[in-house]
Amino acid sequence: GQSLEQPSEVTAVEGAIVQINCTYQTSGFYGLSWYQQHDGGAPTFLSYNALDGLEETGRFSSFLSRSDSYGYLLLQELQMKDSASYFCAVVTGANNLFFGTGTRLTVIP
Amino acid sequence: NAGVTQTPKFRVLKTGQSMTLLCAQDMNHEYMYWYRQDPGMGLRLIHYSVGEGTTAKGEVPDGYNVSRLKKQNFLLGLESAAPSQTSVYFCASSLPGTSLYEQYFGPGTRLTVT
């Protein structure tokens, strides 16, 4: 089976940096995806890591360590609009993604 | 390019009623998925399809059926709705194989079963 763990809530100050961690246990692993979901909205894709290391996309970066079964999403220069839920999801090779339960990020002034 | 669209956006059913949710995508994606999302929970996969005419069970398939008669459409049916099926339903599509890490989601259908 699969399991993913991520913190349920994180609060950070506007302009700061925040890291959202994700640890996983899966029977097969191809990579780790991150999605953002605003309240009442649909999930949208942010980033994907298939190999160890850091992937950077603008203010957002994502990191993967396959040996530690661990990844994180790093958000820099936080803006109020970054307040949302963030989900990690593993590609298990079984033709689908398995999602974590999400981290609710609140950005405060 | 509409992306992924879902019909209807909201629906209220009584226990025992049936309904069909329609998902359509115009990106020529091979793979399509139905998820449900409950408060404070992640997305749980109900059924998915890797191509026209093929479907497979996901994590929580009981009480649901699906059909993929055309590549662009994926239907989710509830034969006899139960209060436990009150949820937000999302459809998604993706390219095939390991490219499925990037899924495109529809706006969701909020279903309440009383």
Side-chain angles (χ1 to χ4, degrees), chain B residues 42-55:
Chain B
L43 294 143
R44 291 186 292 169
L45 184 66
I46 304 171
H47 286 280
Y48 65 97
S49 168
V50 298
E52 183 179 321
T54 70
T55 63

Side-chain angles (χ1 to χ4, degrees), chain A residues 4 24-33 48-52 64-67 69-71 89-94, chain B residues 98:
Chain A
L4 291 98
Y24 59 88
Q25 285 186 315
T26 68
S27 53
F29 182 83
Y30 284 80
L32 187 70
S33 282
Y48 177 66
N49 295 71
L51 303 175
D52 286 359
L64 176 65
S65 169
R66 295 173 73 113
S67 60
S69 298
Y70 163 76
V90 292
V91 180
T92 64
Chain B
T98 51

Side-chain angles (χ1 to χ4, degrees), chain B residues 52-93:
Chain B
E52 183 179 321
T54 70
T55 63
K57 294 180 180 179
E59 185 186 354
V60 289
D62 294 343
Y64 305 95
N65 57 74
V66 288
S67 65
R68 182 108 180 259
L69 298 180
K70 293 182 179 181
K71 185 177 182 178
Q72 63 268 35
N73 296 336
F74 196 27
L75 305 179
L76 178 71
L78 286 74
E79 290 184 349
S80 179
S84 60
Q85 294 178 304
T86 293
S87 189
V88 180
Y89 292 85
F90 287 101
C91 175
S93 69

